[in-house]
Coordinates of all heavy atoms in Angstrom, one line a residue:
M7 N 257.4 232.1 125.9 CA 256.3 231.5 126.5 C 255.2 232.6 126.6 O 255.5 233.8 126.8 CB 256.5 230.9 127.8 CG 256.7 231.8 129.0 SD 257.2 230.8 130.5 CE 256.7 231.9 131.7
I8 N 254.0 232.2 126.5 CA 252.8 233.1 126.5 C 252.0 232.7 127.7 O 251.6 231.6 127.8 CB 252.1 233.0 125.2 CG1 252.9 233.5 124.0 CG2 250.8 233.9 125.3 CD1 252.3 233.2 122.7
I9 N 251.6 233.7 128.5 CA 250.8 233.5 129.6 C 249.6 234.4 129.4 O 249.7 235.6 129.2 CB 251.5 233.9 131.0 CG1 252.7 233.0 131.2 CG2 250.5 233.7 132.1 CD1 253.6 233.4 132.3
G10 N 248.4 233.8 129.5 CA 247.2 234.6 129.4 C 246.4 234.4 130.7 O 246.2 233.3 131.1
R11 N 245.9 235.5 131.3 CA 245.0 235.4 132.5 C 243.6 235.8 132.2 O 243.4 236.9 131.6 CB 245.6 236.2 133.6 CG 247.0 235.6 134.1 CD 247.6 236.4 135.2 NE 248.9 235.8 135.6 CZ 250.0 236.1 135.0 NH1 250.1 236.9 134.0 NH2 251.2 235.5 135.4
D12 N 242.6 235.0 132.4 CA 241.3 235.2 132.1 C 240.6 236.3 132.9 O 241.0 236.5 134.1 CB 240.4 234.0 132.3 CG 240.6 232.9 131.2 OD1 241.7 232.9 130.6 OD2 239.7 232.1 131.1
V13 N 239.7 237.0 132.3 CA 238.8 237.9 133.1 C 237.9 237.1 134.0 O 237.6 235.9 133.6 CB 238.0 238.8 132.1 CG1 238.8 239.7 131.3 CG2 237.0 238.0 131.3
P14 N 237.5 237.6 135.1 CA 236.5 236.8 135.9 C 235.3 236.5 135.2 O 234.8 237.3 134.3 CB 236.2 237.8 137.1 CG 237.4 238.7 137.1 CD 237.9 238.8 135.7
G15 N 234.8 235.3 135.3 CA 233.5 234.9 134.7 C 233.7 234.6 133.2 O 232.7 234.8 132.4
S16 N 234.8 234.2 132.7 CA 235.1 234.1 131.3 C 234.6 232.8 130.7 O 234.7 232.6 129.5 CB 236.6 234.2 131.0 OG 237.3 233.1 131.6
A17 N 234.1 231.8 131.5 CA 233.8 230.5 131.1 C 233.0 230.4 129.8 O 233.3 229.7 128.9 CB 233.2 229.7 132.2
S18 N 231.9 231.1 129.8 CA 231.0 231.0 128.6 C 231.6 231.5 127.4 O 231.6 231.0 126.3 CB 229.6 231.6 128.9 OG 229.7 233.0 129.1
L19 N 232.3 232.7 127.5 CA 233.0 233.3 126.3 C 234.1 232.4 125.9 O 234.3 232.2 124.7 CB 233.4 234.7 126.7 CG 234.2 235.5 125.5 CD1 233.4 235.6 124.3 CD2 234.6 236.8 126.0
R20 N 234.9 231.9 126.8 CA 236.0 231.0 126.5 C 235.5 229.8 125.7 O 236.1 229.5 124.7 CB 236.7 230.6 127.8 CG 237.8 229.6 127.6 CD 238.4 229.2 128.9 NE 239.6 230.0 129.3 CZ 240.8 229.6 128.9 NH1 241.1 228.6 128.2 NH2 241.8 230.4 129.3
A21 N 234.4 229.2 126.2 CA 233.9 228.1 125.5 C 233.5 228.4 124.1 O 233.6 227.6 123.1 CB 232.7 227.5 126.3
K22 N 232.9 229.6 123.9 CA 232.4 230.0 122.6 C 233.5 230.2 121.6 O 233.4 229.8 120.4 CB 231.6 231.3 122.7 CG 231.1 231.8 121.5 CD 230.3 233.1 121.7 CE 229.9 233.7 120.4 NZ 229.2 235.0 120.6
V23 N 234.7 230.8 122.0 CA 235.7 231.0 121.1 C 236.8 230.0 121.1 O 237.8 230.1 120.3 CB 236.3 232.4 121.3 CG1 235.3 233.5 121.1 CG2 236.9 232.6 122.7
R24 N 236.7 229.0 121.9 CA 237.7 227.9 122.1 C 238.1 227.3 120.7 O 239.2 227.0 120.4 CB 237.3 226.9 123.1 CG 238.4 225.9 123.4 CD 238.0 225.0 124.6 NE 239.1 224.2 125.0 CZ 239.2 222.9 124.8 NH1 238.3 222.3 124.1 NH2 240.3 222.2 125.2
P25 N 237.1 226.9 119.9 CA 237.5 226.3 118.6 C 238.4 227.1 117.8 O 239.4 226.6 117.2 CB 236.1 226.0 118.0 CG 235.1 225.9 119.1 CD 235.6 226.9 120.1
A26 N 238.2 228.4 117.7 CA 239.0 229.3 116.9 C 240.4 229.4 117.5 O 241.4 229.4 116.8 CB 238.4 230.6 116.8
H27 N 240.5 229.5 118.9 CA 241.7 229.5 119.6 C 242.5 228.2 119.3 O 243.7 228.3 119.0 CB 241.5 229.7 121.1 CG 242.7 229.4 121.9 ND1 243.7 230.3 122.0 CD2 243.0 228.4 122.8 CE1 244.7 229.8 122.9 NE2 244.2 228.6 123.3
L28 N 241.9 227.1 119.5 CA 242.5 225.8 119.3 C 243.0 225.6 117.8 O 244.1 225.1 117.6 CB 241.6 224.6 119.6 CG 241.3 224.5 121.1 CD1 240.3 223.3 121.3 CD2 242.5 224.4 121.9
A29 N 242.3 226.2 116.8 CA 242.7 226.2 115.4 C 244.0 226.9 115.3 O 245.0 226.4 114.5 CB 241.7 226.7 114.5
R30 N 244.2 228.1 115.9 CA 245.4 228.8 115.9 C 246.6 228.0 116.5 O 247.7 228.0 116.0 CB 245.3 230.2 116.5 CG 244.6 231.2 115.7 CD 244.5 232.5 116.4 NE 245.8 233.1 116.7 CZ 246.5 233.8 115.9 NH1 246.2 234.0 114.6 NH2 247.7 234.4 116.3
V31 N 246.3 227.4 117.7 CA 247.4 226.6 118.3 C 247.7 225.4 117.5 O 248.9 225.0 117.4 CB 247.0 226.3 119.7 CG1 248.0 225.4 120.4 CG2 246.7 227.5 120.6
Q32 N 246.7 224.8 116.8 CA 247.0 223.6 116.0 C 247.9 224.0 114.8 O 248.7 223.2 114.4 CB 245.7 223.1 115.4 CG 245.9 221.8 114.6 CD 246.4 220.7 115.4 OE1 246.0 220.3 116.5 NE2 247.5 220.0 114.8
A33 N 247.8 225.2 114.3 CA 248.7 225.7 113.3 C 250.2 225.6 113.8 O 251.1 225.2 113.0 CB 248.4 227.1 112.8
L34 N 250.4 226.0 115.0 CA 251.7 225.9 115.6 C 252.2 224.5 115.7 O 253.4 224.2 115.4 CB 251.8 226.5 117.0 CG 251.5 228.0 117.1 CD1 251.5 228.5 118.6 CD2 252.6 228.8 116.4
V35 N 251.3 223.6 116.0 CA 251.6 222.1 116.1 C 252.0 221.7 114.7 O 253.0 221.0 114.5 CB 250.4 221.3 116.6 CG1 250.6 219.8 116.4 CG2 250.0 221.7 118.0
D36 N 251.2 222.0 113.7 CA 251.4 221.6 112.3 C 252.7 222.1 111.8 O 253.3 221.4 110.9 CB 250.2 222.1 111.4 CG 248.9 221.4 111.8 OD1 248.9 220.4 112.5 OD2 247.9 222.0 111.3
E37 N 253.2 223.2 112.2 CA 254.4 223.8 111.8 C 255.6 223.3 112.6 O 256.8 223.7 112.4 CB 254.3 225.4 111.9 CG 253.3 226.0 111.0 CD 253.0 227.4 111.4 OE1 253.6 228.0 112.3 OE2 252.1 228.0 110.7
G38 N 255.3 222.4 113.6 CA 256.4 221.9 114.4 C 257.0 222.9 115.5 O 258.1 222.7 115.9
R39 N 256.2 223.9 115.8 CA 256.7 225.0 116.7 C 256.2 224.9 118.1 O 256.7 225.6 119.0 CB 256.4 226.3 116.0 CG 257.1 226.5 114.7 CD 256.7 227.8 114.0 NE 256.3 228.8 114.8 CZ 255.5 229.9 114.5 NH1 255.0 229.9 113.2 NH2 255.2 230.8 115.3
L40 N 255.2 224.1 118.4 CA 254.6 224.1 119.7 C 255.3 223.1 120.6 O 255.6 222.0 120.2 CB 253.1 223.7 119.6 CG 252.4 223.7 120.9 CD1 252.2 225.2 121.4 CD2 251.1 223.0 120.9
V41 N 255.7 223.6 121.8 CA 256.4 222.8 122.8 C 255.3 222.2 123.7 O 255.3 221.0 123.9 CB 257.4 223.6 123.6 CG1 258.0 222.8 124.7 CG2 258.5 224.1 122.6
L42 N 254.4 223.1 124.2 CA 253.3 222.6 125.0 C 252.3 223.8 125.2 O 252.6 224.9 124.9 CB 253.7 222.1 126.4 CG 254.4 223.2 127.3 CD1 253.4 223.9 128.2 CD2 255.4 222.5 128.2
A43 N 251.1 223.4 125.5 CA 250.0 224.4 125.7 C 248.9 223.8 126.5 O 248.6 222.6 126.4 CB 249.5 224.9 124.3
G44 N 248.2 224.7 127.2 CA 247.1 224.2 128.0 C 246.5 225.2 128.9 O 247.2 226.3 129.2
P45 N 245.4 225.0 129.5 CA 244.8 225.9 130.4 C 245.3 225.7 131.9 O 245.8 224.7 132.2 CB 243.2 225.5 130.3 CG 243.2 224.1 130.0 CD 244.5 223.8 129.1
N46 N 245.0 226.7 132.7 CA 245.3 226.6 134.1 C 244.0 226.4 134.9 O 243.3 227.4 135.1 CB 246.0 227.9 134.6 CG 247.2 228.2 133.8 OD1 247.3 229.1 133.0 ND2 248.3 227.4 134.0
P47 N 243.7 225.2 135.3 CA 242.4 225.0 136.1 C 242.5 225.9 137.4 O 243.5 226.0 138.0 CB 242.4 223.5 136.4 CG 243.4 222.9 135.4 CD 244.4 224.0 135.2
V48 N 241.3 226.4 137.8 CA 241.2 227.1 139.0 C 241.5 226.2 140.2 O 242.1 226.6 141.2 CB 239.8 227.8 139.1 CG1 239.6 228.4 140.5 CG2 239.7 228.9 138.1
I49 N 241.0 225.0 140.1 CA 241.3 224.0 141.2 C 242.2 222.9 140.7 O 242.4 222.8 139.4 CB 239.9 223.3 141.6 CG1 239.2 222.6 140.5 CG2 239.0 224.4 142.3 CD1 238.0 221.8 140.9
D50 N 242.8 222.2 141.6 CA 243.8 221.2 141.2 C 243.1 219.9 140.8 O 242.9 219.0 141.5 CB 244.7 220.9 142.4 CG 245.9 219.9 142.1 OD1 246.1 219.7 140.9 OD2 246.4 219.4 143.1
S51 N 242.6 219.9 139.5 CA 241.9 218.8 139.0 C 242.0 218.9 137.4 O 241.9 219.9 136.8 CB 240.4 218.9 139.3 OG 239.7 218.0 138.7
P52 N 242.1 217.7 136.8 CA 242.1 217.6 135.3 C 240.7 218.0 134.7 O 240.6 218.4 133.6 CB 242.5 216.2 134.9 CG 242.2 215.4 136.2 CD 242.3 216.4 137.4
E53 N 239.7 218.0 135.5 CA 238.3 218.3 135.1 C 237.8 219.3 136.2 O 237.1 219.0 137.1 CB 237.4 217.1 135.1 CG 237.8 216.0 134.1 CD 237.7 216.5 132.7 OE1 236.8 217.4 132.4 OE2 238.4 216.0 131.8
P54 N 238.1 220.6 136.0 CA 237.7 221.6 136.9 C 236.3 221.9 137.1 O 235.8 222.6 138.0 CB 238.5 222.9 136.5 CG 238.7 222.7 135.1 CD 238.8 221.2 134.9
G55 N 235.5 221.5 136.1 CA 234.0 221.7 136.1 C 233.6 223.1 136.2 O 234.3 224.0 135.6
P56 N 232.7 223.5 137.1 CA 232.2 224.8 137.1 C 233.3 225.8 137.7 O 233.1 227.0 137.5 CB 231.0 224.8 138.0 CG 230.9 223.4 138.6 CD 231.8 222.5 137.8
A57 N 234.3 225.3 138.3 CA 235.3 226.2 138.8 C 236.1 226.9 137.6 O 236.5 228.0 137.8 CB 236.4 225.4 139.7
G58 N 236.1 226.2 136.5 CA 236.7 226.7 135.3 C 238.2 226.8 135.3 O 238.9 226.1 136.1
V59 N 238.7 227.7 134.5 CA 240.2 228.0 134.4 C 240.4 229.4 134.6 O 239.6 230.3 134.4 CB 240.7 227.5 133.0 CG1 240.5 226.0 132.8 CG2 240.1 228.3 131.9
S60 N 241.7 229.7 135.0 CA 242.1 231.0 135.3 C 242.9 231.7 134.1 O 243.2 232.9 134.2 CB 242.9 231.1 136.6 OG 244.1 230.3 136.5
G61 N 243.3 230.8 133.2 CA 244.1 231.4 132.1 C 244.8 230.2 131.3 O 244.3 229.1 131.4
S62 N 245.8 230.5 130.5 CA 246.5 229.5 129.7 C 248.0 229.8 129.6 O 248.4 230.9 129.8 CB 245.8 229.6 128.3 OG 244.5 229.3 128.3
L63 N 248.7 228.7 129.2 CA 250.1 228.8 129.0 C 250.3 228.2 127.6 O 249.8 227.1 127.3 CB 250.9 228.0 130.0 CG 252.4 227.8 129.8 CD1 253.1 229.2 129.8 CD2 253.0 226.8 130.7
I64 N 251.2 228.9 126.8 CA 251.6 228.4 125.5 C 253.1 228.5 125.5 O 253.6 229.6 125.7 CB 251.0 229.1 124.3 CG1 249.5 229.0 124.3 CG2 251.6 228.7 123.0 CD1 248.8 229.8 123.3
V65 N 253.8 227.4 125.2 CA 255.3 227.5 125.0 C 255.5 227.1 123.5 O 255.2 226.0 123.2 CB 256.0 226.6 126.0 CG1 257.5 226.7 125.7 CG2 255.8 227.0 127.4
A66 N 256.0 228.0 122.7 CA 256.1 227.8 121.3 C 257.4 228.4 120.8 O 257.9 229.4 121.5 CB 254.9 228.2 120.5
E67 N 257.8 228.1 119.7 CA 259.0 228.7 119.0 C 258.6 229.8 118.1 O 257.7 229.6 117.2 CB 259.8 227.6 118.3 CG 260.4 226.6 119.1 CD 261.1 225.4 118.3 OE1 261.2 225.6 117.1 OE2 261.5 224.5 119.0
F68 N 259.1 231.0 118.4 CA 258.8 232.2 117.5 C 260.2 232.8 117.2 O 261.1 232.7 118.0 CB 258.0 233.2 118.3 CG 256.6 232.7 118.5 CD1 256.2 232.1 119.7 CD2 255.6 232.9 117.5 CE1 254.9 231.7 119.9 CE2 254.3 232.5 117.7 CZ 253.9 231.9 118.9
A69 N 260.3 233.5 116.1 CA 261.5 234.1 115.7 C 262.0 235.2 116.7 O 263.2 235.4 116.8 CB 261.4 234.7 114.3
S70 N 261.1 235.8 117.4 CA 261.4 236.9 118.4 C 260.2 237.1 119.3 O 259.1 236.6 119.0 CB 261.8 238.2 117.6 OG 260.6 238.7 117.0
L71 N 260.5 237.9 120.3 CA 259.4 238.2 121.2 C 258.3 239.0 120.5 O 257.1 238.9 120.7 CB 259.9 239.0 122.4 CG 260.7 238.2 123.5 CD1 261.2 239.2 124.5 CD2 259.8 237.2 124.1
E72 N 258.8 239.9 119.6 CA 257.9 240.7 118.8 C 256.9 239.9 117.9 O 255.8 240.1 117.8 CB 258.6 241.7 118.0 CG 259.3 242.8 118.7 CD 260.6 242.3 119.4 OE1 261.2 241.3 119.0 OE2 261.1 243.0 120.3
V73 N 257.5 238.8 117.3 CA 256.7 237.9 116.5 C 255.7 237.2 117.4 O 254.5 237.0 117.0 CB 257.6 236.9 115.7 CG1 256.8 235.8 115.0 CG2 258.4 237.7 114.7
A74 N 256.1 236.8 118.6 CA 255.2 236.1 119.5 C 254.1 237.0 119.9 O 252.9 236.6 120.0 CB 256.0 235.6 120.7
Q75 N 254.4 238.3 120.2 CA 253.4 239.3 120.6 C 252.4 239.5 119.5 O 251.2 239.6 119.7 CB 254.1 240.6 121.1 CG 254.9 240.4 122.4 CD 255.8 241.5 122.7 OE1 256.3 242.2 121.8 NE2 256.2 241.7 123.9
A76 N 252.9 239.6 118.3 CA 252.0 239.8 117.2 C 251.1 238.5 117.0 O 249.9 238.7 116.7 CB 252.8 240.0 115.9
W77 N 251.6 237.4 117.1 CA 250.8 236.2 117.1 C 249.7 236.2 118.1 O 248.5 236.0 117.8 CB 251.7 234.9 117.2 CG 250.9 233.6 117.0 CD1 250.6 232.9 115.9 CD2 250.2 232.9 118.1 NE1 249.8 231.9 116.2 CE2 249.5 231.9 117.5 CE3 250.0 233.2 119.5 CZ2 248.8 230.9 118.3 CZ3 249.3 232.3 120.2 CH2 248.7 231.2 119.6
L78 N 250.1 236.6 119.3 CA 249.1 236.6 120.4 C 248.1 237.7 120.2 O 246.9 237.4 120.5 CB 249.9 236.9 121.7 CG 249.1 237.1 123.0 CD1 248.2 235.8 123.3 CD2 250.0 237.4 124.2
A79 N 248.4 238.8 119.6 CA 247.5 239.9 119.4 C 246.3 239.4 118.5 O 245.2 240.0 118.6 CB 248.2 241.1 118.8
G80 N 246.6 238.4 117.7 CA 245.5 237.9 116.8 C 244.7 236.7 117.3 O 243.8 236.2 116.7
D81 N 245.1 236.3 118.5 CA 244.4 235.1 119.1 C 243.0 235.5 119.5 O 242.7 236.5 120.1 CB 245.2 234.6 120.3 CG 244.6 233.3 120.7 OD1 245.0 232.2 120.1 OD2 243.8 233.2 121.7
P82 N 242.0 234.6 119.3 CA 240.6 234.9 119.7 C 240.5 235.1 121.2 O 239.6 235.9 121.6 CB 239.9 233.6 119.3 CG 240.7 233.1 118.1 CD 242.1 233.4 118.5
Y83 N 241.3 234.5 122.0 CA 241.1 234.8 123.5 C 241.5 236.2 123.8 O 241.0 236.8 124.7 CB 242.0 233.8 124.3 CG 241.4 232.4 124.4 CD1 242.1 231.4 125.1 CD2 240.1 232.1 123.9 CE1 241.6 230.1 125.3 CE2 239.6 230.8 124.1 CZ 240.3 229.8 124.8 OH 239.8 228.6 124.9
V84 N 242.3 236.8 122.9 CA 242.7 238.3 123.1 C 241.7 239.1 122.5 O 241.2 240.1 123.1 CB 244.1 238.5 122.5 CG1 244.4 240.0 122.5 CG2 245.2 237.8 123.3
T85 N 241.4 238.8 121.2 CA 240.4 239.8 120.4 C 239.0 239.7 121.0 O 238.3 240.7 120.7 CB 240.5 239.3 118.9 OG1 240.0 238.0 118.8 CG2 241.8 239.5 118.4
T86 N 238.6 238.7 121.6 CA 237.2 238.6 122.2 C 237.1 239.0 123.7 O 236.1 239.1 124.2 CB 236.6 237.3 122.0 OG1 237.3 236.3 122.8 CG2 236.5 236.9 120.5
G87 N 238.3 239.3 124.3 CA 238.3 239.7 125.7 C 238.3 238.5 126.7 O 238.0 238.8 127.9
V88 N 238.6 237.3 126.4 CA 238.7 236.3 127.3 C 239.8 236.6 128.3 O 239.7 236.4 129.5 CB 238.9 234.9 126.7 CG1 239.2 233.8 127.7 CG2 237.7 234.5 125.9
F89 N 241.0 237.0 127.7 CA 242.2 237.3 128.6 C 242.0 238.8 129.1 O 241.9 239.7 128.4 CB 243.4 237.2 127.8 CG 243.8 235.7 127.5 CD1 244.6 235.5 126.4 CD2 243.5 234.7 128.3 CE1 245.0 234.2 126.1 CE2 243.9 233.4 128.0 CZ 244.7 233.1 126.9
A90 N 242.2 238.9 130.4 CA 242.3 240.2 131.1 C 243.7 240.8 130.8 O 243.9 242.0 130.7 CB 242.0 240.1 132.5
S91 N 244.7 239.9 130.9 CA 246.1 240.3 130.7 C 246.9 239.2 130.0 O 246.5 238.0 130.1 CB 246.7 240.7 132.0 OG 246.9 239.5 132.8
T92 N 248.0 239.6 129.4 CA 248.8 238.6 128.7 C 250.3 239.0 129.0 O 250.6 240.2 129.3 CB 248.6 238.5 127.2 OG1 248.8 239.8 126.6 CG2 247.2 238.0 126.9
E93 N 251.1 238.0 128.9 CA 252.6 238.3 129.1 C 253.3 237.4 128.1 O 253.0 236.2 128.0 CB 252.9 238.0 130.5 CG 254.3 238.5 130.9 CD 254.6 238.4 132.4 OE1 253.7 237.7 133.1 OE2 255.6 238.9 132.8
V94 N 254.3 237.9 127.4 CA 255.1 237.2 126.5 C 256.6 237.3 127.1 O 257.1 238.4 127.2 CB 255.1 237.7 125.0 CG1 256.0 236.9 124.2 CG2 253.7 237.6 124.5
L95 N 257.1 236.1 127.4 CA 258.4 236.1 128.0 C 259.4 235.1 127.2 O 258.9 234.1 126.7 CB 258.3 235.6 129.5 CG 257.5 236.4 130.4 CD1 257.2 235.6 131.7 CD2 258.2 237.7 130.7
P96 N 260.7 235.4 127.3 CA 261.6 234.4 126.7 C 261.6 233.2 127.5 O 261.4 233.2 128.7 CB 263.0 235.1 126.8 CG 262.7 236.5 127.2 CD 261.4 236.6 127.8
F97 N 261.9 232.1 126.9 CA 261.9 230.7 127.5 C 263.0 229.9 127.0 O 263.1 229.8 125.7 CB 260.5 230.0 127.4 CG 260.4 228.7 128.0 CD1 260.2 228.6 129.4 CD2 260.7 227.5 127.2 CE1 260.1 227.3 129.9 CE2 260.6 226.3 127.8 CZ 260.3 226.2 129.1
L98 N 263.8 229.3 127.8 CA 264.9 228.4 127.4 C 264.6 227.0 127.8 O 264.5 226.7 129.0 CB 266.2 228.9 127.9 CG 266.7 230.2 127.5 CD1 268.0 230.6 128.2 CD2 266.9 230.3 126.0
K99 N 264.3 226.1 126.9 CA 264.0 224.8 127.2 C 265.3 224.0 127.6 O 266.3 224.0 126.9 CB 263.4 224.1 126.0 CG 263.0 222.6 126.2 CD 262.3 222.0 125.0 CE 262.0 220.5 125.3 NZ 261.6 219.8 124.1
V100 N 265.3 223.5 128.8 CA 266.4 222.7 129.2 C 266.1 221.2 129.3 O 266.9 220.4 128.8 CB 266.8 223.1 130.7 CG1 268.0 222.3 131.2 CG2 267.3 224.6 130.6
F101 N 264.9 220.8 129.7 CA 264.5 219.4 129.7 C 263.2 219.3 129.0 O 262.4 220.2 129.1 CB 264.4 218.9 131.2 CG 265.6 218.9 131.9 CD1 265.9 219.8 132.9 CD2 266.6 217.9 131.7 CE1 267.0 219.8 133.7 CE2 267.8 217.9 132.5 CZ 268.0 218.8 133.5
P102 N 262.8 218.2 128.5 CA 263.7 217.0 128.1 C 264.5 217.3 126.9 O 264.2 218.2 126.1 CB 262.7 215.9 127.9 CG 261.5 216.6 127.4 CD 261.5 217.9 128.1

């Protein structure tokens, strides 16, 4: 699983590079490797509005942690500085 935490005030940059980020995630979907993905709203709402988001979570299948880290290193949210920090962790799907 990949956790990315946004830099403060990332909303405009995030919006600008979002299409490129979504294209990379869509490739995981197309390859049948994506389990789930989405942003973390700052407030408890499906439409956070100006509150924005604090980061993102991606759960996908990669051959190894190193492969996941390499994939993440090329993500537009990383390369453009949307994410202040990232973490790649092993994940074992139990349900469903």
Side-chain angles (χ1 to χ4, degrees):
M7 77 183 200
I8 296 170
I9 300 168
R11 293 181 181 85
D12 285 24
V13 298
S16 66
S18 63
L19 179 57
R20 176 182 265 269
K22 181 180 174 182
V23 299
R24 187 171 188 257
H27 166 75
L28 293 181
R30 281 181 59 82
V31 175
Q32 184 62 50
L34 294 174
V35 172
D36 295 346
E37 295 164 4
R39 297 174 29 203
L40 185 71
V41 176
L42 63 89
N46 304 108
V48 171
I49 59 174
D50 187 15
S51 171
E53 296 294 333
V59 299
S60 62
S62 299
L63 171 69
I64 297 172
V65 179
E67 296 175 6
F68 292 95
S70 67
L71 288 177
E72 293 78 17
V73 171
Q75 290 164 339
W77 182 90
L78 178 59
D81 188 82
Y83 283 176
V84 171
T85 61
T86 63
V88 171
F89 288 153
S91 66
T92 59
E93 192 171 10
V94 178
L95 300 167
F97 179 82
L98 298 174
K99 182 179 174 186
V100 175
F101 294 105

